[in-house]
């Protein structure tokens, strides 16, 4: 299935890892549907690794672990669909998943049929234990073809972490998103690393196959499977803003059954989600920070109604001022135009008169602007 916007949803891995169950999934579906997340755009509920038994059945089919999922997967799919959500599952291009459950290698068509029969809408497809001989692109093409022929629209979410030059071949596989980085952990250093690695991959991002910077850690506060030291709420907000700005899929990774208000506000910022889901999906480009500002990342991108989005992200623990020139966006003073800039977290506005923007950023803080073109006069 092809999609024209980065998918948004929730995934079990970051917080729950192996500790997943029917009860968790049903309650998570309730919260997504009833507490504003679905309204904000989060519609895919994805069960990650560790859902099956360690052995296939006598016909070679994957079997849900009956202790974790006593009513099986079709039951879950029906419940999830009944809530207006979409159902995602997980498998792997290797002989085993990363956590040691059966992978889909040499079972691709059987597994695609099984997922279709259960009512699955999204398949995350990992890369552990893959053949050392068969190139990754062949393995992803197999599953891409299996899904395209399984009789159901299933979004193919590739997860080969950007290895083996994934960006060069992923669009040949039918995948709609591709993990462009390694795994996220609940630390600021991890956010920084993934953001840095993304810079060189921006030209590969776009309609048909979106760069996936990995699931969100917003609101984890050090709890759960990838929870380490955790981050502050300011850091989570900057992480969310960066992922949204870059056009990454937005897959929530915290326990939304116990989400605090700050986490909810971060995850449901409508203006940022609107920028993330913008129909043009144009490539973000870096603006050159003026003076020495190695800690600040500044990007802009064009939006479909003629607006421009600008994001300034302070990656370090000192206060700073983001400074940049809107010449680089295409608006030198000679055009007689400037930007009327509205910051999406604070609602504050500015409109540079001389082409240069100055904006104070707190440690680890960010500012994201939706900007309308306006006359300088
Ligand atoms: C990793 C993947 C993670 C998660 C995990 C499950 O390879 O990047 O997102 O799916 O496997 O074992």
């Amino acid at each position: 299935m092809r999609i024209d916007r980065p998918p948004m949803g929730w995934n079990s891995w970051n917080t729950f890892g192996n500790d997943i169950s029917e009860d968790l999934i049903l309650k998570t579906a309730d919260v997504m549907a009833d507490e504003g997340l679905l309204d904000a755009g989060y519609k895919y509920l994805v069960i990650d690794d560790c859902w099956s038994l360690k052995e296939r059945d006598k016909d070679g089919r994957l079997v849900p672990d009956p202790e974790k999922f006593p009513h099986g997967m079709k039951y879950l799919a029906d419940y999830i669909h009944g809530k207006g959500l979409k159902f995602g599952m997980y498998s792997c291009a290797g002989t085993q998943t990363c956590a040691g459950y059966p992978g889909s290698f040499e079972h691709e068509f059987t597994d695609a049929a099984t997922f279709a029969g259960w009512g699955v809408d999204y398949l995350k497809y990992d890369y552990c234990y893959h053949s050392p001989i068969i190139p990754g692109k062949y393995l992803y093409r197999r599953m891409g073809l299996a899904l395209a022929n399984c009789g159901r629209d299933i979004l193919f979410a590739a997860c080969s972490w950007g290895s083996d030059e994934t960006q060069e071949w992923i669009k040949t596989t039918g995948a709609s998103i591709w993990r462009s980085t390694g795994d996220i952990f609940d630390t600021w250093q991890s956010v920084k690393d993934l953001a840095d690695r993304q810079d060189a991959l921006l030209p590969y991002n776009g309609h048909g196959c979106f760069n996936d910077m990995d699931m969100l850690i917003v609101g984890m506060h050090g709890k759960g499977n990838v929870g380490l030291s955790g981050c502050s709420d300011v850091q989570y907000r900057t992480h969310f803003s960066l992922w949204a700005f870059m056009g990454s899929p937005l897959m929530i990774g915290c326990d939304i059954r116990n989400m605090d208000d700050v986490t909810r506000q971060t995850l449901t910022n409508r203006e940022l989600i609107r920028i993330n889901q913008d129909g043009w999906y144009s490539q973000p480009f870096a603006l050159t920070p003026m003076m020495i500002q190695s800690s600040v990342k500044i990007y802009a991108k064009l939006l479909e109604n003629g607006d421009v989005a600008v994001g300034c992200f302070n990656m370090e623990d000192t206060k700073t001022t983001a400074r940049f020139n809107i010449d680089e966006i295409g608006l030198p003073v000679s055009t007689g135009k400037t930007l009327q800039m509205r910051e999406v977290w604070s609602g504050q506005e500015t409109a540079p008169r001389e082409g240069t923007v100055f904006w104070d950023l707190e440690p680890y803080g960010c500012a994201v602007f939706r900007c309308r073109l306006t006359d300088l006069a």
Side-chain angles (χ1 to χ4, degrees), residues 225-251:
N225 188 37
V226 306
L228 295 171
S229 55
C231 295
S232 67
D233 285 325
V234 171
Q235 291 171 330
Y236 285 138
R237 180 194 271 198
T238 297
H239 152 58
F240 179 78
S241 301
L242 246 174
W243 265 231
F245 193 92
M246 291 310 200
S248 176
L250 298 175
M251 304 299 288

Side-chain angles (χ1 to χ4, degrees), residues 13 48-49 90 98-99 124 126 128 159 161 179 183 214-215:
W13 181 252
D48 207 282
D49 205 348
Y90 164 99
C98 301
K124 174 173 171 180
D126 219 328
C128 284
C159 179
W161 327 296
R179 266 282 294 284
D183 284 17
D214 204 358
M215 284 95 67

Side-chain angles (χ1 to χ4, degrees), residues 169-346:
W169 47 263
I170 196 61
K171 287 181 182 159
T172 69
T173 67
S176 287
I177 67 176
W178 68 286
R179 266 282 294 284
S180 50
T181 62
D183 284 17
I184 198 164
F185 294 91
D186 186 14
T187 65
W188 182 247
Q189 189 60 45
S190 175
V191 169
K192 263 177 73 171
D193 291 346
L194 298 191
D196 285 344
R197 258 183 276 164
Q198 195 59 26
D199 282 336
L201 298 169
L202 288 177
Y204 297 92
N205 205 355
H207 277 293
C209 199
F210 301 109
N211 290 17
D212 175 1
M213 295 167 71
D214 204 358
M215 284 95 67
L216 300 166
I217 52 167
V218 179
M220 288 185 64
H221 293 297
K223 293 199 206 93
N225 188 37
V226 306
L228 295 171
S229 55
C231 295
S232 67
D233 285 325
V234 171
Q235 291 171 330
Y236 285 138
R237 180 194 271 198
T238 297
H239 152 58
F240 179 78
S241 301
L242 246 174
W243 265 231
F245 193 92
M246 291 310 200
S248 176
L250 298 175
M251 304 299 288
I252 299 170
C254 69
D255 181 355
I256 56 173
R257 301 168 308 171
N258 301 304
M259 192 171 30
D260 58 33
D261 284 347
V262 180
T263 300
R264 187 188 309 276
Q265 281 159 15
T266 299
L267 292 170
T268 56
N269 182 301
R270 299 278 168 153
E271 276 298 313
L272 261 170
I273 290 174
R274 203 171 142 221
I275 290 169
N276 177 262
Q277 299 283 299
D278 186 78
W280 262 15
Y281 203 82
S282 68
Q283 182 186 320
F285 52 94
L287 298 180
T288 320
M290 295 165 67
M291 329 229 328
I292 302 163
Q293 289 181 297
S294 57
S295 68
V296 184
K297 289 176 174 292
I298 307 177
Y299 303 95
K301 70 175 178 184
L302 309 186
L303 302 174
E304 67 180 337
N305 68 344
D307 286 357
V308 179
V310 175
C312 310
F313 307 93
N314 181 6
M315 307 308 283
E316 303 293 341
D317 66 351
T318 44
K319 274 187 166 178
T320 190
T321 302
R323 299 180 184 86
F324 57 92
N325 205 298
I326 63 173
D327 277 21
E328 290 186 63
I329 297 173
L331 291 176
V333 176
S334 61
T335 57
K337 303 279 178 196
T338 188
L339 294 176
Q340 184 64 41
M341 307 174 67
R342 183 174 184 281
E343 205 282 316
V344 304
W345 292 107
S346 63

Side-chain angles (χ1 to χ4, degrees), residues 127-147:
Y127 200 42
C128 284
Y129 301 103
H130 63 85
S131 161
I133 300 162
I134 306 173
K137 57 188 164 192
Y138 295 0
L139 299 174
Y140 279 86
R141 281 180 197 145
R142 281 192 202 188
M143 187 47 103
L145 275 175
L147 292 174

